[in-house]
Amino acid sequence: MKKKEKSNISVTILRSGTRVPTLDRSACSVLIQVEDENLLFDAGPGTMRRLLEAGVQIYDVSHVFFSHFHPDHTGELVPFLFANKYPDIHRRKQNLTLCGGTGFLSFYNQLKTIYNQWIDVNGRLNFIEFDNSRKDEHIFNGFTITTTPVCHSPESIAFKVTAANGATVVYSGDTDYSENLIALAKNADLFICECALPDQMKADGHLTPSYAGRIASMANVKKLVLTHFYPECGPPECSPTDITKQCRKTYAGPLVLAEDLLTFQLD
Ligand SMILES: [Zn+2]
Ligand SMILES: [Zn+2]
């Protein structure tokens, strides 16, 4: 049997929180490094600092993918673009590609009516909109991105990154229970799933540990990483809720509760 080629994907949960920051968790962002590209998924306020802590310079980020437009996922966009405009950032060797669901270009253009040329990155921006009415796919140099609509806000999409050797990482963004997400995450090597609140605090448009576990089980993922935690989810010394125990009601496979700067190497 042919041995599977070693994957070249590394995933860092830059930030594992939500709009309500704590000293342990800050608003949402995930770094996925595939081949030689640094891909950011969401960029909540303060993402650049965590990027630097992860050893990545901002001008080495090639693509930013936004799951939706809520401020805890997009708040760093304006400062990030402004920083990339600094003359010394001419070290940037490639254009910066910004991607989101339907309406993303309009979202950027509205920001541009306020910030004008300060966020144009000297003409080095590309834009890609994924159709949020259906499954969509775009082939990049060395990886493929597949998206699907999820249940949160009208533009919300989840992402699957597929490396050249077939290794897959799925990132849910924010969502409620979603059959689309189950289909997208089918047999994923790593499934990064939002888990906003404990089971007893279920909110519309978000998942809980047992709902996230159910999606992971039905999708038969190889490893589940829960993230996007409100303060009610811990850390354990601050919360009476045992998130792992709640997730175990529906999911028996490998499970990790995300922390800021936690890294995974897929092999
Ligand atoms: Zn959120
Ligand atoms: Zn949201």
Side-chain angles (χ1 to χ4, degrees):
M1 197 171 111
K2 194 174 170 219
K3 197 173 169 217
K4 192 178 177 188
E5 192 185 326
K6 191 167 166 46
S7 109
N8 198 12
I9 302 189
S10 143
V11 177
T12 303
I13 308 293
L14 291 176
R15 308 161 66 76
S16 56
T18 62
R19 58 181 151 167
V20 184
T22 64
L23 286 174
D24 300 288
R25 302 186 189 283
S26 35
C28 219
S29 186
V30 177
L31 170 69
I32 299 183
Q33 296 168 292
V34 52
E35 305 303 330
D36 294 325
E37 308 276 17
N38 293 299
L39 319 179
L40 262 189
F41 288 80
D42 288 331
T47 292
M48 283 189 284
R49 181 178 175 83
R50 282 284 191 263
L51 254 186
L52 293 172
E53 287 171 339
V56 175
Q57 301 298 317
I58 62 167
Y59 45 79
D60 288 332
V61 172
S62 57
H63 302 72
V64 190
F65 297 88
F66 292 98
S67 64
H68 64 299
F69 308 153
H70 284 166
D72 57 327
H73 298 253
T74 58
E76 194 81 332
L77 175 59
V78 165
F80 181 76
L81 296 176
F82 188 44
N84 271 279
K85 197 178 166 68
Y86 185 66
D88 195 37
I89 302 300
H90 289 149
R91 286 175 289 181
R92 174 170 279 285
K93 296 189 177 59
Q94 55 187 323
N95 282 5
L96 176 62
T97 301
L98 302 180
C99 310
T102 307
F104 179 70
L105 193 54
S106 165
F107 174 77
Y108 170 80
N109 283 332
Q110 288 178 64
L111 293 173
K112 201 151 181 285
T113 63
I114 301 167
Y115 291 103
N116 297 305
Q117 76 276 17
W118 300 116
I119 59 167
D120 69 3
V121 190
N122 307 320
R124 302 201 62 182
L125 286 179
N126 300 326
F127 295 89
I128 293 173
E129 278 193 358
F130 290 91
D131 188 337
N132 64 2
S133 67
R134 60 176 174 85
K135 187 177 171 190
D136 200 0
E137 190 162 277
H138 193 98
I139 297 170
F140 294 85
N141 190 17
F143 63 97
T144 298
I145 298 287
T146 312
T147 63
T148 195
V150 288
C151 307
H152 184 66
S153 55
E155 74 281 6
S156 286
I157 49 178
F159 295 97
K160 176 166 74 174
V161 185
T162 306
N165 73 342
T168 54
V169 179
V170 170
Y171 169 57
S172 69
D174 286 6
T175 185
D176 209 316
Y177 188 77
S178 163
E179 298 285 343
N180 286 347
L181 183 57
I182 294 168
L184 188 75
K186 206 81 193 164
N187 302 319
D189 292 300
L190 191 69
F191 177 39
I192 303 163
C193 189
E194 82 119 283
C195 176
L197 289 160
D199 283 0
Q200 67 275 19
M201 296 180 70
K202 172 78 178 79
D204 285 348
H206 286 292
L207 294 169
T208 60
S210 60
Y211 273 113
R214 187 187 302 180
I215 291 171
S217 287
M218 293 182 77
N220 191 35
V221 303
K222 298 194 178 66
K223 184 181 277 190
L224 169 62
V225 180
L226 296 179
T227 190
H228 194 273
F229 293 120
Y230 273 94
E232 289 82 355
C233 290
E237 60 272 23
C238 308
S239 167
T241 301
D242 187 333
I243 298 299
T244 299
K245 193 173 170 192
Q246 290 190 344
C247 188
R248 285 295 181 219
K249 289 191 269 182
T250 53
Y251 174 72
L255 170 65
V256 178
L257 306 191
E259 298 167 12
D260 288 15
L261 293 174
L262 196 63
T263 294
F264 303 86
Q265 187 71 43
L266 268 65
D267 49 31

